[in-house]
Amino acid sequence: MQKFIVNGGRRLRGELALQGSKNSALPIMAASLLCGEDCVLKNCPELTDVYAASRILNCVGCKCSFSDNTAVISSGEITANTIPEELMREMRSSIIFLGAMLGRTGECTVCCPGGCELGPRPIDMHLAALRKMGTDIKESYGRIICRVPEKAHGARISLPFPSVGATENIILFAVTAEGETVINNAAREPEICDLCGFLRCCGAEISGDGESSIVIRGKEKLHGCEYSIMPDRIAGATYLCMAAATKGEIILTNACVDAMEPFLSVLEQTGCSIYTAEKRIFLRSGARLKAVNDRIRTMPHPGFPTDAQAVLMAALVTAEGTSVFEENIFDCRYRHTDALVKMGADVQVLGKIAVIKGVNRLYGANVEATDLRGGAAVTAAALAAEGVTEISSISHIDRGYERLEDAVSRLGGSIKRVYTNSTSTC
Ligand code: EPZ
């Protein structure tokens, strides 16, 4: 069992280079198995979810190696068409290997994916789209058996919701399908554009990514390439919220300013001074934050990102005034609020609404990370709290943050990872 021990009350100061994006690296790793040749992925973050993706690749016959934030994936030979349940369960992204496997081999057996427990996370949109593009899908005893009897063909797909994962799965299947595929109401997240940028490097023909309608013209074959993964906009939001919560002053380098705009435009309403230039973001938050007057509504990109909801809340629990969140993407994404309340925050949750009444201070406590972004939020609150906080179940955090304790320590925060045998609950 691993824990973070955080000694709060120190202002974060300094410069930090942003890690590569988890939510871009994962679909791009899935896409690499379409090529049949080596792909070299630079700026690849060292995360447990990335290693889980490499286990899936190795399990179907690819070879995946890492060194110094570079992944090399050889997909010359696919030797299996089933992704075992234990690998599917490790993360949500495992489901997008389905589209890539069908695109490469025409058959694949999976089960429902795992990932953060944010409420029901069905895959009905994924399966409906794959069926429309010619896939036979049978579900039996929890297994989803997929086969493309003839050549996969393009189709016009209208998504009922701009699902990120469904958009990715359709793209991964369509790039080698016969004819043209049009995705209407497609997700517009920056990670979709990064996936399409990688696929274009491999010879795919895709246009419209970043907009609501994406057009893919299928190609017979794709080739390998070398590609640099975009920076992680949510990790960037996290470190900025940690600096804001501790009245600090930091510079983020290797940042994706445009992709972070929907978040930055809300953060600056808290009274922080934010300056951006090229790939750098400078934040100074010398005084107590102000509450955000307008309701903070999480929406598909280019709306406020749901993945930044928890970490911004952690910064606002000690702000002056009352802030209101409305979580519109997931049914159960306030699981971190219990820990914040235990540390002295005043948070009232009613359905998808959370009301945050700013308190003067937080106090260290023994708390647990409930999911990836909730765990980062609790860590941010611990950095701002008086006294010592112990955070358990930090394996959730390791899924999406590259050695969080090193990054925070580099900015002057007092945090250390300890290995304990006890399974004591807090
Ligand atoms: C991706 O999840 C991200 N994960 C999530 O980040 C992110 O929160 C989410 O997109 C929204 O931006 C990765 O990229 C690995 P969705 P995904 O499909 O693809 C419903 C993090 O913290 N839905 O856009 O699962 C679904 O239940 C993670 O890094 C269906 O109903 O998100 C949810 O309510 C957490 N049927 C909503 O749509 C479907 O077939 C959005 O889901 C698919 C989705």
Side-chain angles (χ1 to χ4, degrees):
M1 171 100 157
Q2 300 179 33
K3 289 183 177 181
F4 280 154
I5 308 292
V6 180
N7 204 331
R10 298 187 189 198
R11 294 172 180 236
L12 295 193
R13 280 206 177 87
E15 188 170 305
L16 180 70
L18 213 38
Q19 70 179 57
S21 164
K22 165 181 88 78
N23 291 349
S24 187
L26 296 172
I28 287 176
M29 289 175 77
S32 67
L33 72 75
L34 284 162
C35 304
E37 295 176 4
D38 284 10
C39 290
V40 179
L41 306 180
K42 294 189 174 305
N43 201 35
C44 186
E46 294 174 14
L47 306 168
T48 52
D49 270 12
V50 166
Y51 297 139
S54 70
R55 285 194 287 277
I56 291 176
L57 288 169
N58 293 335
C59 171
V60 297
C62 299
K63 289 184 179 46
C64 191
S65 62
F66 296 93
S67 77
D68 193 21
N69 286 109
T70 297
V72 179
I73 299 169
S74 308
S75 58
E77 204 191 347
I78 301 297
T79 56
N81 286 313
T82 295
I83 301 177
E85 182 167 352
E86 65 272 16
L87 293 184
M88 285 298 296
R89 291 274 184 234
E90 286 196 70
M91 59 178 184
R92 170 76 179 178
S93 267
S94 52
I95 193 60
I96 53 176
F97 282 81
L98 174 59
M101 281 292 291
L102 290 173
R104 175 72 190 268
T105 68
E107 54 183 296
C108 185
T109 298
V110 297
C111 68
C112 279
C116 286
E117 289 170 25
L118 307 173
R121 298 181 77 178
I123 55 170
D124 54 313
M125 296 181 210
H126 298 242
L127 301 183
L130 295 173
R131 281 194 173 95
K132 195 164 182 189
M133 297 170 77
T135 308
D136 269 352
I137 299 177
K138 290 186 183 60
E139 298 184 53
S140 114
Y141 302 109
R143 295 194 321 154
I144 303 168
I145 303 146
C146 306
R147 213 169 67 75
V148 184
E150 280 107 44
K151 183 81 178 120
H153 56 77
R156 294 187 71 80
I157 311 278
S158 290
L159 288 173
F161 179 87
S163 156
V164 172
T167 302
E168 289 166 346
N169 238 336
I170 297 164
I171 290 169
L172 290 167
F173 188 43
V175 283
T176 56
E178 221 153 52
E180 181 178 87
T181 297
V182 179
I183 311 172
N184 292 317
N185 197 25
R188 299 172 57 189
E189 272 67 10
E191 294 76 23
I192 300 280
C193 300
D194 212 29
L195 170 63
C196 293
F198 168 79
L199 286 165
R200 277 188 284 265
C201 262
C202 298
E205 199 177 323
I206 307 174
S207 59
D209 43 298
E211 299 305 322
S212 294
S213 183
I214 300 178
V215 181
I216 303 116
R217 285 181 192 79
K219 294 283 187 180
E220 194 64 34
K221 183 117 180 55
L222 298 182
H223 53 74
C225 79
E226 180 168 311
Y227 190 79
S228 187
I229 289 163
M230 70 175 281
D232 193 313
R233 61 190 172 107
I234 305 301
T238 302
Y239 294 118
L240 291 174
C241 286
M242 288 178 169
T246 58
K247 301 187 179 66
E249 178 174 321
I250 68 166
I251 297 177
L252 281 186
T253 60
N254 183 35
C256 41
V257 177
D258 293 346
M260 291 181 66
E261 189 49 44
F263 162 77
L264 294 173
S265 62
V266 174
L267 184 62
E268 64 190 2
Q269 294 174 47
T270 65
C272 292
S273 305
I274 299 173
Y275 307 98
T276 60
E278 193 59 25
K279 291 186 164 187
R280 299 164 76 88
I281 301 174
F282 169 74
L283 174 137
R284 177 188 296 132
S285 145
R288 185 180 182 190
L289 299 182
K290 291 183 298 186
V292 174
N293 288 331
D294 305 330
R295 183 175 289 197
I296 302 159
R297 292 180 171 83
T298 64
M299 297 299 280
H301 193 81
F304 183 86
T306 176
D307 293 349
Q309 175 254 104
V311 290
L312 179 61
M313 185 186 291
L316 289 172
V317 292
T318 52
E320 190 170 353
T322 298
S323 306
V324 179
F325 284 87
E326 183 179 308
E327 174 53 59
N328 295 305
I329 306 295
F330 291 105
D331 293 340
C332 181
R333 198 164 201 175
Y334 288 134
R335 295 176 65 215
H336 50 281
T337 56
D338 290 346
L340 297 179
V341 168
K342 190 172 179 182
M343 296 169 77
D346 180 345
V347 182
Q348 302 281 334
V349 171
L350 196 64
K352 61 183 188 174
I353 303 295
V355 179
I356 320 297
K357 284 201 182 87
V359 295
N360 288 326
R361 61 180 58 78
L362 296 177
Y363 300 94
N366 290 351
V367 292
E368 184 170 13
T370 52
D371 53 77
L372 165 55
R373 306 303 174 186
V378 164
T379 307
L383 289 166
E386 278 180 19
V388 178
T389 299
E390 275 196 22
I391 304 170
S392 57
S393 303
I394 59 175
S395 57
H396 287 293
I397 300 174
D398 292 335
R399 293 187 44 218
Y401 293 92
E402 198 173 60
R403 290 184 302 283
L404 181 76
E405 69 272 25
D406 293 355
V408 170
S409 300
R410 196 168 306 133
L411 295 171
S414 168
I415 180 172
K416 62 178 189 295
R417 180 186 294 257
V418 297
Y419 299 79
T420 65
N421 301 325
S422 79
T423 51
S424 62
T425 50
C426 36

